[in-house]
Amino acid sequence: MLWSNSFIPTLREVPAEAESVSHQLMLRAGLIRMLSAGIYSYLPLGLRVLDNIENIIQQEMNSAGAQELLLPALQTQELWQRSGRDKEIGEVMIRFTDRRGRKLCLGPTHEEVITELARTHIRSYKQLPLILYQIQTKFRDEIRPRFGVVRACEFIMKDAYSFDKDDKGLDKNYNLMLGAYQRIFKRMGLKFLTIEADPGVMGGKVSHEFMVPAKSGEDLEVGHIFKLGTKYTEALGARFLDDKGKLQPIIMGCYGIGVSRLIAAIIEQSHDEEGIIWPWEVAPFKVLIIPVDVTDKKMANEAAKIYARLSKENIESLLDDRDERAGVKFKDAELIGIPLEIIIGKEAFKNGKIELKRRRDKKVFFTDRKNLVKKIKQVMKDEAKP
Ligand code: ATP
Ligand code: MG
């Protein structure tokens, strides 16, 4: 992508309304913009990060044997009355009546909807076990939306649900999800803690939270998994015939990840004074090409050639072809945090060496034109190791 025709509105100043480092950097690097408290737009760079996070989650969920589906964000209040959670969830759930008089709500979570689906389609133990998941926008009227996407009123969650015929099956699926979560967070470069937690409003007995310690002292929960047991299936009547022909309630587990909150968690753990330092797998681009002066034809041509070479190799790169001072470009580069920078200055033509700079530790490497792609691939290989 060419920076000159991209929408990457970076900010020099620290926005006054942002209390946490991640919130400040997400605004400054042009990842998000606020529409109103707790309501955010994801700009192109932010969306690229979100897509990368979702890809990692999909890969790990699929390889654990879970299947993706997409449930409606609109739900009926009647379903929540049947599960018995209508009162408990209270004001957090956004409710309204449509023009037909249907009492609806915007899904804050999906245990009810998925259990209703299971109720109407799972008849026999032969259809179990099953793990279904989705990546979807959730709505919660939070009392105090804060820290940008950390606690928002509209946010993206990955929610998975397991269905089993007995406790042994639930234990197996629960451990499978626990392992998948650990791989997911590791691939995102996160240092995290897995701790036993209180199941709270979800119900059930066993639950684990995945916590990401932040420098600010705020620990931001990025995932939460629960052994629900039969709470929802009993309330909604989701039963199956066991191998003896007896009707039994399906045994459930549920597994959530705060997809959009993860962007903030990653930044909290991976930044410096100048800006974001993206871990390799989630980086919006892997390489940033910086011709120091684009009015110099030779430099601009060299940069364009390198950009074309990397595109051919499927290495996602951003070319800073803006007619800006070198200082501005370097500052923006540090701010948006692309892992590898290729700097094309006058030196490149004096001694034929191209400068590579690693964002994480500012280490500089030199390589000649011929070996550039080889060198980048070598750095990529090292960086991709979690
Ligand atoms: P919290 O304890 O932070 O209020 P929760 O326990 O209500 O979260 P869950 O219902 O377990 O959240 O949802 C699964 C995941 O969704 C959480 O682990 C969290 O990462 C994310 N999440 C929950 N609420 C929000 C929100 N308002 N904004 C962004 N992400 C959220
Ligand atoms: Mg929770």
Side-chain angles (χ1 to χ4, degrees):
M1 208 157 83
L2 305 184
W3 196 318
S4 64
N5 52 28
S6 303
F7 184 50
I8 309 176
T10 56
L11 306 172
R12 272 295 92 76
E13 307 296 325
V14 177
E17 74 273 21
E19 317 122 291
S20 65
V21 174
S22 58
H23 190 191
Q24 290 167 2
L25 287 174
M26 286 181 78
L27 290 167
R28 289 188 55 212
L31 304 179
I32 55 165
R33 282 296 180 267
M34 187 176 88
L35 178 67
S36 183
I39 307 174
Y40 289 88
S41 302
Y42 291 85
L43 310 189
L45 272 193
L47 186 60
R48 290 181 79 97
V49 176
L50 209 52
D51 282 344
N52 291 340
I53 289 175
E54 291 181 4
N55 280 335
I56 293 173
I57 293 173
Q58 284 163 328
Q59 283 168 17
E60 295 297 337
M61 292 303 289
N62 294 348
S63 71
Q67 293 169 70
E68 189 170 5
L69 48 51
L70 185 60
L71 302 168
L74 283 177
Q75 305 182 8
T76 59
Q77 291 177 30
E78 175 263 338
L79 199 51
W80 286 76
Q81 282 151 8
R82 268 163 55 205
S83 78
R85 277 210 296 184
D86 186 48
K87 284 225 169 61
E88 202 176 352
I89 193 107
E91 298 293 305
V92 165
M93 192 156 79
I94 300 168
R95 299 152 205 254
F96 63 98
T97 306
D98 77 0
R99 64 171 85 203
R100 277 169 225 83
R102 276 191 306 187
K103 294 205 176 320
L104 300 178
C105 56
L106 296 176
T109 180
H110 279 69
E111 283 74 19
E112 278 77 2
V113 174
I114 198 105
T115 307
E116 179 67 5
L117 193 69
R119 183 181 74 79
T120 49
H121 288 282
I122 298 175
R123 296 258 170 267
S124 152
Y125 71 96
K126 288 178 188 153
Q127 290 167 277
L128 301 171
L130 193 64
I131 307 177
L132 301 171
Y133 78 96
Q134 62 170 344
I135 294 175
Q136 192 208 35
T137 301
K138 302 282 193 252
F139 299 87
R140 293 183 185 180
D141 188 356
E142 298 279 358
I143 298 177
R144 242 189 114 200
R146 60 196 300 226
F147 302 136
V149 299
V150 169
R151 187 165 301 284
C153 297
E154 175 179 331
F155 62 98
I156 301 167
M157 196 201 284
K158 187 285 301 177
D159 45 324
Y161 306 88
S162 65
F163 302 92
D164 276 283
K165 63 179 186 331
D166 52 26
D167 284 332
K168 217 175 104 195
L170 171 62
D171 291 349
K172 193 177 157 205
N173 277 332
Y174 190 86
N175 288 334
L176 208 61
M177 287 297 108
L178 199 125
Y181 274 39
Q182 290 176 329
R183 282 192 296 281
I184 287 167
F185 298 135
K186 215 166 153 188
R187 280 179 66 181
M188 292 173 190
L190 286 170
K191 290 187 189 72
F192 61 94
L193 303 167
T194 308
I195 49 182
E196 246 184 86
D198 176 6
V201 72
M202 286 299 168
K205 291 186 198 77
V206 179
S207 122
H208 283 86
E209 275 175 356
F210 297 82
M211 306 292 283
V212 173
K215 277 186 190 141
S216 62
E218 282 279 343
D219 294 353
L220 305 162
E221 173 196 320
V222 292
H224 202 163
I225 62 177
F226 306 81
K227 283 188 189 175
L228 294 173
T230 57
K231 173 176 164 157
Y232 296 92
T233 51
E234 274 185 281
L236 297 172
R239 297 189 200 89
F240 69 101
L241 282 172
D242 69 12
D243 56 357
K244 297 188 182 64
K246 208 179 142 214
L247 264 183
Q248 305 267 16
I250 304 171
I251 297 170
M252 279 178 71
C254 77
Y255 315 90
I257 291 183
V259 176
S260 43
R261 182 181 285 184
L262 271 169
I263 307 182
I266 292 165
I267 295 173
E268 283 293 333
Q269 284 197 346
S270 194
H271 67 270
D272 62 15
E273 293 283 293
E274 277 89 27
I276 301 168
I277 302 173
W278 288 115
W280 190 265
E281 282 217 56
V282 295
F285 292 94
K286 308 307 177 201
V287 179
L288 174 62
I289 306 163
I290 310 174
V292 168
D293 176 6
V294 288
T295 61
D296 181 322
K297 278 249 158 57
K298 248 170 107 184
M299 259 185 233
N301 278 339
E302 182 70 24
K305 261 198 265 168
I306 291 174
Y307 176 72
R309 259 173 92 187
L310 297 188
S311 300
K312 228 166 134 188
E313 297 280 340
N314 283 324
I315 299 170
E316 294 163 291
S317 50
L318 176 65
L319 170 57
D320 191 352
D321 60 339
R322 294 174 300 167
D323 183 9
E324 288 280 1
R325 282 180 295 112
V328 170
K329 291 188 175 192
F330 291 141
K331 271 216 156 58
D332 273 345
E334 305 287 88
L335 180 60
I336 69 167
I338 308 300
L340 199 59
E341 293 162 28
I342 300 177
I343 298 156
I344 301 157
K346 285 223 156 50
E347 290 72 26
F349 304 99
K350 264 194 224 135
N351 58 16
K353 295 278 184 200
I354 296 191
E355 185 182 337
L356 293 178
K357 191 171 149 202
R358 198 157 67 186
R359 171 66 184 90
R360 142 167 96 74
D361 54 6
K362 301 188 178 163
K363 193 173 166 188
V364 173
F365 311 80
F366 287 96
T367 177
D368 50 38
R369 283 182 182 69
K370 213 178 88 212
N371 289 308
L372 179 68
V373 172
K374 212 169 113 194
K375 181 77 193 169
I376 289 173
K377 284 190 170 166
Q378 189 195 320
V379 177
M380 276 171 76
K381 233 171 130 183
D382 294 341
E383 293 298 296
K385 280 185 206 135

